Amino acid sequence: MLSIPTLKYIDSGNFFLMAGPCAIEGRDMALRIAERITELTDRLKIPYIFKGSYRKANRTKLDSFTGIGDEKALAILKEVGTTFGVPTVTDIHESAEAALAAEYVDVLQIPAFLCRQTDLLVAAAQTGKAVNVKKGQFLSGASMKFAVEKIQDTNPSAQVILTDRGNSFGYGDLVVDYRNLPEMQSFGVPVVMDCTHSLQQPNQASGVTGGKPRLIETIAKAAIAVGADGLFMETHYNPAEAKSDAANMLPLDQLEGLLERLLRIREAIL
């Protein structure tokens, strides 16, 4: 069970949703996306956490978009939370970022490639914020118990969330092993399926990550059927124009129908 104070509808019996743009590109786009998702999740009584990266540290090329400025983007995240009454989540990449980001958001997210970085996990736990750890593409679900232990040993009251985002499959593809979801749930923490990053095709010759967004619904449906506690999706009103992860995001106008179909699956398995 999540214990984030501002999370609404937690007793609705629905899965919770972490969704928003890959990166904060500006104030207007963030507020526009947050407003639409909040409208949907309020109507459907889905607990909602707004997601947006204040800085993108893991980019293939040096000239890739990384952000609009740390404090500027973090201030936008805080405004989203205040305006719509929803918690917010953003990535951190180094230990020194934990305390800064914690002043603005409710959940600190540890990127998959960094899930074994002890100092980063400890710093996140010390802030007292909830910590969402992405499972490394190179790890089994069972291996994530050590990330949970590092956080909980540092701060026994810390809320830990684990998120699966697929496993490396060859040099430029990922595959989802749904056994990882119940495996990670056995640690007594909420488990989320990242329905967009699990469809990435990294390390493309162009230097821009590819993806298969047409399969987002497939990944999401399977995750709910398996019993995922939450879903993670990046979405944008025009993914083709997005400055980060354009190849993987769900078009915002497709979110409503998808959530409605997922709720029917959730009802069927309860």
Side-chain angles (χ1 to χ4, degrees):
M1 179 67 71
L2 288 174
S3 60
I4 302 169
T6 55
L7 199 60
K8 298 183 290 186
Y9 310 118
I10 195 62
D11 296 322
S12 66
N14 291 333
F15 56 86
F16 66 94
L17 178 67
M18 306 173 78
C22 177
I24 299 298
E25 301 171 9
R27 177 179 180 273
D28 291 345
M29 68 84 70
L31 291 171
R32 178 179 172 186
I33 293 172
E35 181 178 26
R36 177 56 178 154
I37 302 178
T38 301
E39 289 173 354
L40 293 176
T41 53
D42 279 352
R43 179 174 66 81
L44 298 172
K45 291 184 168 49
I46 295 173
Y48 174 50
I49 302 170
F50 177 85
K51 184 271 170 183
S53 295
Y54 77 94
R55 172 154 43 98
K56 302 300 296 184
N58 179 17
R59 302 288 87 187
T60 302
K61 298 170 67 176
L62 184 61
D63 60 356
S64 296
F65 174 80
T66 58
I68 60 174
D70 290 358
E71 294 196 16
K72 181 177 180 180
L74 286 167
I76 291 170
L77 282 163
K78 186 171 184 177
E79 183 178 359
V80 166
T82 301
T83 301
F84 301 106
V86 296
T88 55
V89 57
T90 198
D91 316 74
I92 58 172
H93 314 89
E94 299 180 10
S95 302
E97 296 178 35
L100 171 64
E103 295 179 14
Y104 297 88
V105 301
D106 304 280
V107 184
L108 301 177
Q109 182 166 284
I110 309 300
F113 283 127
L114 302 178
C115 68
R116 286 172 48 89
Q117 297 298 103
T118 299
D119 288 350
L120 182 59
L121 294 169
V122 168
Q126 288 174 335
T127 67
K129 298 291 185 176
V131 184
N132 179 36
V133 188
K134 293 281 194 77
K135 183 188 75 62
Q137 302 93 319
F138 45 87
L139 291 176
S140 68
S143 300
M144 291 302 291
K145 70 176 180 179
F146 302 111
V148 175
E149 289 174 354
K150 288 176 183 178
I151 294 169
Q152 293 182 338
D153 287 350
T154 300
N155 180 0
S157 63
Q159 168 72 70
V160 183
I161 305 166
L162 294 179
T163 296
D164 192 6
R165 48 100 75 235
N167 283 79
S168 296
F169 188 74
Y171 289 109
D173 208 354
L174 298 166
V175 64
V176 176
D177 181 350
Y178 285 95
R179 296 176 297 178
N180 285 325
L181 273 63
E183 185 74 55
M184 293 191 293
Q185 284 173 326
S186 70
F187 309 142
V189 301
V191 171
V192 173
M193 184 71 234
D194 183 337
C195 304
T196 46
H197 288 98
S198 60
L199 292 167
Q200 281 185 335
Q201 293 179 304
N203 304 318
Q204 299 299 300
S206 65
V208 178
T209 296
K212 299 179 180 179
R214 67 186 182 279
L215 294 177
I216 291 172
E217 182 161 343
T218 300
I219 297 294
K221 285 179 174 177
I224 293 301
V226 169
D229 300 291
L231 297 177
F232 180 106
M233 297 183 198
E234 289 185 339
T235 183
H236 194 285
Y237 42 81
N238 189 352
E241 294 183 355
K243 296 181 179 180
S244 180
D245 277 6
N248 302 291
M249 285 193 279
L250 180 76
L252 187 58
D253 61 7
Q254 295 179 17
L255 183 60
E256 181 175 13
L258 175 56
L259 291 177
E260 290 173 344
R261 291 188 290 277
L262 294 173
L263 288 176
R264 290 197 291 272
I265 295 174
R266 176 75 171 181
E267 291 172 2
I269 67 170
L270 290 179

